[in-house]
Amino acid sequence: MVKARRTPARRAARPRSNPSRTPSPSPEPQDPRLIEGIQLFNHARFFESHEVLEQLWLQTHDSSKDFYKGLIQAAVAFHHWSRGNLAGTQTLVRSSSRYLKRYSPVYRGVEVGAFLAQFTDLFRWVTRLRQRYDARLIPSIRWTPSG
């Protein structure tokens, strides 16, 4: 059996998988719901992540509200993708990206810019190639290194 080789252009277009899904530890005291929501996200438990972050979002009345909304929508985008709903995924990716870019590169110890770059690159590729859900491709949400 002969394996088809990928061309260099196609290989470069594929997003890199994230070999380590273990998130870095939070560098500073955070709301425990943010920590739990990110941990759930990083373990591909998107619906549960959404539920935890939504409780935080509902009780927030400051400039962080849209940050939490962006994280919630990112989690729901992955949930939709895992269920084969690419149209719903695309809508949430656009909306989540609009919210999160306001908090880039780092907000509340979260590496928003790095996540957002991987998130948008992945879904450009998913949309173009109609890629089915693959948990190995999901970027982790990371904390900034403590210094």
Side-chain angles (χ1 to χ4, degrees), residues 20-27 35 38-39 42 109-111 140-146:
S20 171
R21 299 269 313 142
T22 306
S24 53
S26 172
I35 295 168
I38 289 174
Q39 288 172 338
N42 287 338
V110 175
E111 293 182 357
S140 291
I141 299 174
R142 299 208 172 268
W143 300 100
T144 56
S146 54

Side-chain angles (χ1 to χ4, degrees), residues 115-133:
F115 170 74
L116 196 52
Q118 292 175 322
F119 178 65
T120 56
D121 285 349
L122 170 64
F123 282 108
R124 268 195 293 272
W125 180 77
V126 165
T127 300
R128 187 172 62 246
L129 299 178
R130 310 292 291 171
Q131 173 68 35
R132 290 181 185 231
Y133 178 76

